[in-house]
Structure formats: structure tokens, C-alpha cells
Amino acid sequence: MADALAEVEPKAAQPQRGKNTLAVEAEKGKKKSRLLRTVPASLIKFRAFQNREKVQAGATPPVTKKTKENLEGPCGLGCIVIPSCQRLNNFHCFLFFYSLLITSQGIVFGLVDLSIDTFEKESHLNNMENLLLSLTYDISSCLIVLFIAYYGGRGNIPRWITFSSFLVGFGSLLFAFPYFSGGNDRASVDIEDICQEMKTTTVCNKAVTSFQAKYVTSFILGQIVQAVAGMPLYILGTVFIDNSVATHSAGIYIGIMEASVVLGYSLSYVIAASLTRGTENSIFAISTMLNNTSEEWLRNWWIYFGLVSLIAWSTLIPLSCFPHSVRGTAKIKAEKRKHPHPFDGEIKDQEFGPINIKDLFATIWVLLKNPVFICLALTKASESLVFIGASEYLPIYIENQFLLKHSTATKIAGFVLLPGGGLGQLLGGIIVSKLRMSCKALMRFVMVTSVISLTFFGFVIFVHCNPIPLAGINEDYAGTGQLGNLTAPCNSHCKCSSSFYSTICGRDNIGYFSPCFAGCTQSKKLNDQQAYYNCSCIKEGLTTSDDQGDFIDARPGACDAKCYKLPLFIAFIFSTILFSVFSGIPCTLNILRIVSDNHRSLALGLTYVILRMFGTIPGPILFKMAGATSCIFRGTEYCGKTGRCWIYNKTKMAYFMVGICSICKVFTIFFTAIAFCLYKCLSKEDSNILNIPVKNLKVKKKGKN
């Protein structure tokens, strides 16, 4: 009875009626309860709760808006309610299935990024197609997030999340469709390997148009579906978590949610790294796609997407069984109402009537006039750029900086992102929750961790390897060639093409773009590895002979850079990511605390729009521009188009990655400092509310009343 009475806000109660009126309504409530004796006990208790609330509030409407938000019902599928399943009607059970669904979409995000990256390299799409594939999710989500946040925040959130579970699985199948239907066959191509005077080389190796059309269409539709699915998960799901747990515990559970996304994304890098294709021997990998390996490669892609669909759909029935509010939500909300709300006089009194589009824009305007909210939203946008740099730029950086295979570099990036990003989100939530930080303490925490992260970024810039000599790039063929030109007198008769990149290391410890550019005329397979002979451009160095007595001039792969800094780099970048993502949960908690309870979902939606506009949409473009600027040799003979970048300037890559991420961290500190100062100024206007710690709010509330 005490929990039911606590659900009604004092300001929502109307003037008390006479004793006779209350007696009549109480009698009506008793009669209705007698009529429900044949209904299961859980439903009788639920109905009695509604009647008691009406009697206490004296409200004439049958069900008020506050009752709907605090609706606690039985756990069941529609009208099917199983008593033994009611023990699962709790927040922790919901969190398990919710986190599983979040993880599955994180895997989809990672698989899509890896797949698009490989497809763009092979198909040489134009700029418009590249933008459509890269930005469809961000643009689609920006267009719908405000409407889902506003209308979904006032509806049944578990039903929205159930709908998202279906869309995640369906969208994943759309991504699998072009691989499942096949058709990724290549036009016939003559693969160039060694130097031949009489040779015809076909360098225009385009994907079949039908597969390219199917791929682009399926992936654009799939990303639109995933955008619709993601908004209820990340916006409404966060609000549901905040409603269902105590204020000081929200950070832990939101941290679990964010860590689940990072977990899924990182797992995709680990499991699908072998399917990606980088610069090393990429043309020879394509040539093998003309045989049975092509079918296996296609099958692996659609199997991964299909498994994600099954994982997402496995949560469909469990999530659909949860009621509007899980058991215990009413008591938690009652406790929260005892605490004063920041900016109580400015925002919380601005309540609106029935849901309509006019009130949506009115609420958006209220939020835009909140300077603290805008600064915190910009903080999250700058933070998103750092993680984008780590997820998209890190694999190619490791590959070129430490001369690793593309698949190995992708796996290392996944292993760094998994513990660094996921653990950082989780620890950040745990720390701020256990310390029960106030809003100002949360902002201080963000600034301190950002400074620490910025310090580690400074160390990363010193961990890089010296470039190895590469003929025609930074070595001039022993004085016979020119820098920037792969062709020299020693290979001019070979008719080599820069569209085929397969680096080899000569016995002179100089790298060559391909065996052709080294002037090699013969090759043998020794111990499952190619060896090259009679290379006209290789004239120095120690000679070694094979079993047949022939002298080996070169072997495949890059020369040993004698750089052993990879463990140190991993340690620094791990620490950087760990402290960088510490600020994610505190920013979210601050946004939830500084806005009205009725505006939380829309505030998160508006934050998401700002994050996309200033973070995730320009972020990939910015890092791709940095990669293009770091490129020192790019293929230029592909079907008349500019080819992919084969060789990067290692020093430039280091400065660009560290520079962009450091600037983002500076913006994080700057916007958080402004939000802190604004919050501090506003707190002076109402020091009794804003300057007290969270754990003492209850006592101060009583004193104020």
C-alpha cells in the first residue's frame, strides 16, 4: 500500500473531495475487485493497484499518464501468463537478453565495416557509391531518431526493443543476401608475377556488374533497417535502464550496455579478419577467387551474417514477454521523486498536453536552450571521433607501421578494442556509480580521464618504426632510377604494371614493389613459399642457394624492419582507449540528470543527432583524408581510374592519427569545462538544490518542505 501511494506525485493530486465521494469510490473499487476473483492472482493485484491509486489521487480520468509510465504487469506472451515464469520478471533477466541483442548488432556493425572495406578495394566504386555505403546508417538514424525517441519514450519500451530484435536479424539477412546468392565471379585476368619481355597484361579486373548492384542495394537497405532497429535499443533502452534501477546504480548497467556494443564490434574483427583483404598480395588473392576458394569465401560471409540473425531472433520471444515496467520499478521511481531535480524551476514545469508534432518541436526547443546539455552533447560527439579513429584507422596503421599482414593487423586491432573499449565503458560506469558522483563530480571525472588519455596519446607518437628501403619509392635502384618512379633501366623491358602489388625482399635487403619490378625472370616453390631467381635489379647482397644449387635473389614479403615496438604500441594505445572511453558513461548520466524526466528520451535522441552530425558522419571522412594524405604511392592504371594506395608514409600516419585524436580530446576537455562552469553558475541561483551531494538529497528535500 505504501508503494502504491508513493507513485502519485504531490503536485499531480487534485483538491480533496468530500468524505462521501471517497467512500462511494472506495465501494466501487471493492465491487470491481469481487468481479475479478476468477482472474489469476497477479492480475487481481495489478487491478487493485490501479484502483487504490485512483482513490488516493481523487482523479476523475480512468487512467492517468503517470500510471501508464509506472505500469507493472505480469511476465507473459500476450494473454498467456505462466506463474512459474514470474520469477524472471525482473530487470536482471531483461538486461541479459537486451545485452545479447546489443552484442549481436555490434557484430553486425563490425562485419559490415570489414565487408565494405574489402568490397571498396576490389570493386573500385565511385565517390557517390562509397558515400552511400559508408553514411547510410548515420543519415537514416538521424532522420528518425527524434521521432522514435519522443513517441517511443512515452510508449511501451520493451515492445519497441522487441521490434528492434526482429529488425536486427532481418537486416543481417539483407547483408548476407549478395553473398548467399553468389555471383562474385571475376572477369578473366592475366596475373602478372615475373618479368617477361613478351607479355600481355590485363589490368582492368572489374567485378561482375550484377554482383556489384546486388551488393550496393542490399547493404544500403540493410543499413537503413539497422538504423531503425538501433534507435530504440540505444535511446529507449537507456531510458528503460534508468527507470528500472536506482540513480546510483544506473552507471553500472548503462556501462554493461555500452560494453556489449564494443564486445560485439571487436568480436567481428577477430572472427572475420581472415576474410578481409589488404594490400599485401591482394591481386594474387583475387586470382584464387576464380576457383573453389571463391565459394568458400562467399559462404563464410553469409554464414556469419546468418548466425547473427539467429542470435538476434533468439531474444525475440523472451523480450516480448516483459511488461511495460519490470517488477520493482514503481518503488524505485517513488524513491527518485523524493530527490530534487536539477533546474527544477526552469525545465520540469514545462509540461505538454497530448502527444503531437507541435509538442515535439516545442520540447526540442526547450532542450536547445539548455547550454549545459548542448556542451555535454558536443562532448560525446568529440569522444566518438576518437573511437572511430581507433576502430577504422587502427588496423591499417598497424599493418603499415609494423609491416604485418592485413588479417593479422585486423585481429590485433580487435583484441585492443575489445578489452580497451569494453572494459573502459564498464569500469567507467562502475567507478562513478560506486562513488555516487554528483553532476559536477561526473564532469570533473571526464576532464581528468581525458587529460590522462591525452598524455598517453603523446607517448604513442614516439612509438613507430623507421621505413625500410623500397626501390623506386625511397631508394633509387642504386643510382640508376628516380625516386617516385618504379621503372628503371634494369626493369624497363619487363612491361610491369603498378596495379599489381606483391612486395618482395631482395638479398640486398631492399624491398621491391613486385617480382616484375625487381627484374626477376624465374620462380620456384620452396617449402610452400615462392623464391625468385635471375633478378636483374638485384646485384648486391649475400647469395644463398637452394637444393638444386640455384642462387635465390628474392623472397616474397616485406623486408625485416628490425622494429620490435609493437608490444609497447599496444600497451600505450590500450591505455589511451581505456581512459578515453571512461568519459562515455559519465556524459550520458549527466544528460539524464540535467533534463526533465519526461524529456530524457528526446534529450538522448537529440544528443545522438549532434553526435552524428559532428562525430560519426565527418569522422570516417576525416580519417580517410588523413590516410590519403599519408599515401606516397598509389596505383594509377586501373581501368583509367586512380587505384588504391599501396604504400604509406609511416611518420605522417603517426602524426595524423595522434594529432586528430588529441584535438578531439582537447575539445572534450573544453566542452566539459564550459558545461562545468555553466552548471556551477546555475547552482549558485539555487544552492539548496544543486550543491548538495546525491546521497544527501533525501535529507535536504525534507528540510526544504
Side-chain angles (χ1 to χ4, degrees):
M1 185 65 181
D3 295 345
L5 293 176
E7 286 301 308
V8 184
E9 293 191 47
K11 70 176 186 179
Q14 299 179 358
Q16 295 293 328
R17 302 182 182 179
K19 295 182 179 180
N20 294 334
T21 305
L22 292 176
V24 172
E25 291 191 2
E27 186 64 26
K28 289 181 180 179
K30 293 179 181 179
K31 290 181 180 179
K32 290 180 181 178
S33 298
R34 295 191 193 101
L35 295 175
L36 296 174
R37 287 178 179 174
T38 58
V39 184
S42 60
L43 296 181
I44 294 176
K45 182 179 179 181
F46 168 65
R47 182 65 178 174
F49 169 78
Q50 287 183 317
N51 290 334
R52 287 196 300 269
E53 189 178 52
K54 291 180 195 177
V55 172
Q56 176 65 20
T60 53
V63 180
T64 63
K65 183 171 66 175
K66 290 293 180 183
T67 305
K68 283 186 178 180
E69 290 181 354
N70 299 324
L71 193 58
E72 290 186 19
C75 182
L77 189 61
C79 59
I80 303 174
V81 179
I82 303 175
S84 59
C85 293
Q86 300 312 306
R87 67 184 65 181
L88 303 178
N89 185 13
N90 57 73
F91 174 73
H92 293 92
C93 186
F94 171 84
L95 183 66
F96 171 79
F97 292 107
Y98 174 68
S99 299
L100 183 62
L101 177 59
I102 289 282
T103 303
S104 66
Q105 194 177 45
I107 297 175
V108 172
F109 290 154
L111 291 177
V112 169
D113 286 347
L114 293 175
S115 176
I116 290 177
D117 182 63
T118 301
F119 181 74
E120 287 178 348
K121 289 177 180 178
E122 295 180 0
S123 301
H124 293 258
L125 304 177
N126 56 46
N127 293 333
M128 182 59 66
E129 290 173 327
N130 284 331
L131 287 176
L132 283 175
L133 285 175
S134 302
L135 302 178
T136 299
Y137 178 86
D138 298 311
I139 296 174
S140 301
S141 57
C142 279
L143 294 177
I144 62 173
V145 62
L146 294 178
F147 297 97
I148 292 179
Y150 185 70
Y151 294 105
R154 303 190 178 196
N156 191 326
I157 294 180
R159 293 294 176 269
W160 281 87
I161 295 177
T162 302
F163 179 61
S164 293
S165 67
F166 170 77
L167 291 182
V168 170
F170 177 68
S172 183
L173 289 182
L174 287 176
F175 294 130
F177 172 73
Y179 296 109
F180 180 78
S181 59
N184 191 25
D185 296 326
R186 297 271 164 180
S188 61
V189 57
D190 296 330
I191 298 302
E192 176 182 89
D193 188 13
I194 59 177
C195 175
Q196 299 176 8
E197 294 187 12
M198 301 297 295
K199 176 175 55 176
T200 301
T201 302
T202 304
V203 298
C204 190
N205 180 23
K206 296 189 70 175
V208 177
T209 306
S210 60
F211 176 79
Q212 182 170 329
K214 283 190 297 184
Y215 186 96
V216 173
T217 303
S218 298
F219 269 62
I220 288 176
L221 292 176
Q223 291 196 75
I224 292 174
V225 172
Q226 292 294 339
V228 178
M231 297 309 95
L233 290 179
Y234 305 116
I235 305 301
L236 303 182
T238 303
V239 174
F240 188 83
I241 291 174
D242 192 51
N243 287 338
S244 305
V245 298
T247 301
H248 64 273
S249 301
I252 298 176
Y253 297 108
I254 296 177
I256 293 175
M257 180 199 76
E258 297 286 353
S260 299
V261 183
V262 179
L263 172 64
Y265 193 89
S266 304
L267 283 177
S268 67
Y269 270 54
V270 175
I271 63 178
S274 59
L275 302 180
T276 61
R277 298 170 187 167
T279 56
E280 182 69 20
N281 295 328
S282 58
I283 295 301
F284 298 98
I286 290 175
S287 67
T288 61
M289 290 295 108
L290 299 174
N291 53 33
N292 295 332
T293 309
S294 176
E295 297 179 2
E296 180 182 357
W297 184 79
L298 292 171
R299 184 171 62 250
N300 287 336
W301 273 116
W302 70 256
I303 284 177
Y304 286 147
F305 282 116
L307 288 176
V308 174
S309 294
L310 293 179
I311 295 173
W313 283 343
S314 67
T315 65
L316 187 61
I317 295 179
L319 288 173
S320 63
C321 293
F322 286 96
H324 187 289
S325 300
V326 294
R327 193 186 329 174
T329 302
K331 185 177 181 180
I332 291 172
K333 283 189 175 183
E335 285 295 322
K336 290 181 179 180
R337 288 195 181 98
K338 297 178 182 179
H339 301 160
H341 196 284
F343 315 122
D344 193 51
E346 298 182 16
I347 294 179
K348 197 170 184 180
D349 291 335
Q350 302 184 28
E351 303 289 347
F352 299 99
I355 299 176
N356 56 63
I357 194 70
K358 182 179 178 181
D359 288 346
L360 168 61
F361 290 106
T363 309
I364 292 174
W365 179 244
V366 169
L367 294 172
L368 291 176
K369 292 192 298 182
N370 187 341
V372 180
F373 165 75
I374 296 298
C375 289
L376 292 175
L378 290 173
T379 297
K380 289 190 70 69
S382 62
E383 280 300 300
S384 67
L385 276 170
V386 177
F387 194 78
I388 287 174
S391 59
E392 295 197 8
Y393 199 67
L394 189 59
I396 190 172
Y397 180 86
I398 295 176
E399 175 189 1
N400 289 274
Q401 190 68 244
F402 302 100
L403 301 178
L404 302 175
K405 293 182 179 179
H406 186 73
S407 58
T408 304
T410 305
K411 286 182 180 179
I412 292 176
F415 283 123
V416 171
L417 292 173
L418 175 59
L423 187 63
Q425 296 280 11
L426 186 59
L427 286 179
I430 292 175
I431 291 173
V432 299
S433 294
K434 292 300 182 181
L435 296 180
R436 300 193 175 190
M437 293 184 178
S438 63
C439 289
K440 289 194 292 186
L442 290 172
M443 295 178 196
R444 293 193 193 99
F445 181 79
V446 171
M447 289 187 285
V448 170
T449 54
S450 297
V451 170
I452 296 175
S453 176
L454 189 60
T455 303
F456 279 111
F457 266 128
F459 289 122
V460 169
I461 200 171
F462 297 106
V463 184
H464 60 85
C465 300
N466 295 323
I468 60 172
L470 190 61
I473 304 300
N474 53 16
E475 203 280 336
D476 58 358
Y477 289 97
T480 62
Q482 296 179 353
L483 296 180
N485 188 1
L486 296 177
T487 303
C490 62
N491 59 28
S492 59
H493 61 286
C494 297
K495 296 182 180 180
C496 304
S497 171
S498 61
S499 293
F500 301 118
Y501 177 59
S502 179
T503 182
I504 63 171
C505 182
R507 56 186 171 87
D508 54 359
N509 289 325
I510 295 176
Y512 294 86
F513 192 85
S514 69
C516 182
F517 281 105
C520 303
T521 58
Q522 294 181 1
S523 65
K524 292 182 183 179
K525 200 163 190 177
L526 302 176
N527 299 324
D528 297 327
Q529 192 177 46
Q530 289 290 115
Y532 298 96
Y533 304 83
N534 299 328
C535 301
S536 58
C537 295
I538 303 175
K539 300 177 181 179
E540 299 179 357
L542 297 176
T543 58
T544 57
S545 60
D546 58 13
D547 297 337
Q548 300 176 359
D550 296 327
F551 292 105
I552 302 173
D553 282 336
R555 296 182 182 273
C559 295
D560 186 8
K562 296 181 174 58
C563 180
Y564 310 102
K565 299 179 181 179
L566 181 60
L568 185 62
F569 173 81
I570 292 176
F572 281 138
I573 203 68
F574 170 82
S575 302
T576 300
I577 296 175
L578 180 69
F579 283 97
S580 180
V581 299
F582 268 174
S583 60
I585 303 304
C587 283
T588 302
L589 291 176
N590 263 330
I591 291 172
L592 292 173
R593 291 183 186 181
I594 66 172
V595 300
S596 166
D597 290 342
N598 293 335
H599 299 167
R600 285 176 304 165
S601 60
L602 189 58
L604 292 177
L606 191 56
T607 300
Y608 189 89
V609 173
I610 295 175
L611 183 146
R612 295 292 169 185
M613 290 177 60
F614 298 99
T616 57
I617 290 179
I621 299 175
L622 185 62
F623 279 100
K624 285 182 180 179
M625 290 174 59
T629 306
S630 303
C631 180
I632 58 177
F633 189 83
R634 184 183 298 273
T636 57
E637 301 177 20
Y638 187 87
C639 302
K641 299 180 181 179
T642 301
R644 76 184 74 171
C645 182
W646 296 120
I647 303 169
Y648 293 86
N649 186 315
K650 297 182 179 182
T651 305
K652 276 189 177 181
M653 289 187 75
Y655 279 110
F656 273 118
M657 187 186 76
V658 174
I660 294 174
C661 292
S662 298
I663 291 173
C664 293
K665 295 305 296 184
V666 170
F667 276 116
T668 296
I669 299 171
F670 175 72
F671 288 125
T672 307
I674 293 178
F676 179 82
C677 295
L678 291 173
Y679 190 94
K680 192 174 181 181
C681 292
L682 291 172
S683 67
K684 293 179 180 179
E685 299 177 5
D686 196 354
S687 58
N688 291 331
I689 294 178
L690 298 176
N691 284 336
I692 53 176
V694 174
K695 58 185 178 182
N696 296 329
L697 286 174
K698 187 174 180 180
V699 177
K700 294 291 183 181
K701 178 75 176 178
K702 290 180 179 179
K704 183 180 178 180
N705 292 338

